[in-house]
Amino acid sequence: MSVINYIQLRLARMCTRGFHNSAANLVKNSYPLKPSSINETAKKLGFTNAKEMYPEYPLEEPPKLWMITQVQRLNSRPYWEKEAMKELGLYRVNDISIQINSTKMNEILWGIKHLIKIQPVRMPQGEPTKSDIGYTQLKLNGEFEIKKRVECIENPEDVVPVAPEEEWKVVDGFRTCKNCRQKRCLALQMCQKLWFQYGKNNLERIGPVLFNYVENPLKKQKAIEENQLKTEKGSNNIRESAV
């Protein structure tokens, strides 16, 4: 390498190094500053307080709750914005947080208003009570809906008759062929054809064919008790007639 080429190479490295240093300084100097509070912003704009910035309030009464939705990512955001979002429980886009409408909370929301969407929680049906737990829904537009539990009025003509419990059949093992001596059937304790069919189909579909249903033992027990009562009544009637 000649001396001239060496000097040109050194000059090129020095130029690129200076360019990178200047770009790093530019990024460092362009880092966003921490925003001022609501009252400080109002004073800078010539107002005495924050309420004068919005003379026409869009709602009749201030809401008690805010529904806050994250709309921007937190990549390359300053640490104070990430801490504020973490305090609200917002980490990803479309995450929702419910917060109280207070002065302290509004101050936090003012600093991250470019990352979130704020909606008032409206309760057209009134505030929920303890009996409404489990029957409420918060819509995406901020409307809090109370879904009352519907109680049906039973009509004796519409009631479907249900058999008593002792009439229900119970499962007693799996179905097997009569006088089956196949080794695989004896090992599985069920018909091997049903076993292969069980592997292909759902249990709900193959269940009535797969299981072996027998009479409920409660039915036999109830029949025995009824017979005992009849015999006791018959013996008592015989004794009374003899007397």
Side-chain angles (χ1 to χ4, degrees), residues 14 18 22 50 59 80 88 91 96 106 111 120 150 159 161 180 207 212 233:
M14 291 173 64
S22 61
L59 301 176
W80 56 82
L88 298 177
Y91 301 94
I96 296 175
N106 293 337
V150 180
V159 176
C180 181
N212 184 28
K233 287 181 180 180

Side-chain angles (χ1 to χ4, degrees), residues 48-173:
T48 56
N49 52 26
K51 291 184 179 180
E52 294 183 0
M53 292 193 297
Y54 306 97
E56 296 181 0
Y57 196 74
L59 301 176
E60 297 179 358
E61 296 181 358
K64 296 182 179 180
L65 298 173
W66 294 121
M67 187 177 77
I68 306 160
T69 309
Q70 182 176 341
V71 295
Q72 296 291 338
R73 294 182 179 180
L74 301 180
N75 298 341
S76 68
R77 301 308 307 175
Y79 70 91
W80 56 82
E81 293 182 359
K82 292 182 180 180
E83 289 179 355
M85 297 291 282
K86 185 178 180 180
E87 185 178 352
L88 298 177
L90 301 175
Y91 301 94
R92 302 179 185 85
V93 178
N94 295 329
D95 283 357
I96 296 175
S97 176
I98 307 298
Q99 300 295 334
I100 300 174
N101 182 10
S102 60
T103 306
K104 183 179 178 181
M105 181 53 59
N106 293 337
E107 197 71 40
I108 297 173
L109 298 177
W110 176 264
I112 55 174
K113 59 183 180 295
H114 54 286
L115 303 174
I116 57 177
K117 180 176 70 173
I118 305 174
Q119 293 175 293
V121 178
R122 294 176 284 105
M123 303 180 184
Q125 300 177 355
E127 296 183 3
T129 58
K130 188 180 291 186
S131 60
D132 296 330
I133 296 175
Y135 305 101
T136 58
Q137 181 183 8
L138 180 62
K139 298 183 178 179
L140 295 177
N141 59 356
E143 184 178 350
F144 189 79
E145 183 180 1
I146 300 175
K147 296 183 177 180
K148 296 293 184 181
R149 186 175 181 180
V150 180
E151 296 181 358
C152 61
I153 301 174
E154 294 185 358
N155 189 0
E157 296 180 357
D158 299 336
V159 176
V160 179
V162 180
E165 187 177 357
E166 57 270 8
E167 297 290 338
W168 299 352
K169 292 188 176 182
V170 295
V171 178
D172 184 19

Side-chain angles (χ1 to χ4, degrees), residues 22-68:
S22 61
N25 293 331
L26 181 62
V27 173
K28 184 177 181 181
N29 295 330
S30 63
Y31 198 73
L33 299 175
K34 195 170 185 178
S36 56
S37 62
I38 300 178
N39 295 327
E40 292 177 358
T41 306
K43 291 178 181 179
K44 288 180 182 179
L45 296 175
F47 300 101
T48 56
N49 52 26
K51 291 184 179 180
E52 294 183 0
M53 292 193 297
Y54 306 97
E56 296 181 0
Y57 196 74
L59 301 176
E60 297 179 358
E61 296 181 358
K64 296 182 179 180
L65 298 173
W66 294 121
M67 187 177 77
I68 306 160

Side-chain angles (χ1 to χ4, degrees), residues 183-194:
K183 293 182 179 180
R184 184 175 293 175
C185 294
L186 296 175
L188 296 175
Q189 294 184 356
M190 62 181 298
C191 181
Q192 56 181 342
K193 294 181 181 180
L194 293 176

Side-chain angles (χ1 to χ4, degrees), residues 195-241:
W195 171 261
F196 292 128
Q197 193 174 2
Y198 164 70
K200 296 179 181 179
N201 299 332
N202 296 329
L203 183 61
E204 295 179 357
R205 295 174 57 187
I206 197 62
V209 183
L210 185 67
F211 300 117
N212 184 28
Y213 294 94
V214 296
E215 294 293 337
N216 198 330
L218 295 176
K219 185 177 181 180
K220 296 180 180 180
Q221 185 178 358
K222 187 176 180 181
I224 293 171
E225 292 177 356
E226 290 178 355
N227 292 331
Q228 290 178 356
L229 291 174
K230 288 181 180 179
T231 53
E232 290 178 358
K233 287 181 180 180
S235 59
N236 293 332
N237 293 333
I238 293 171
R239 290 174 184 174
E240 290 177 357
S241 59

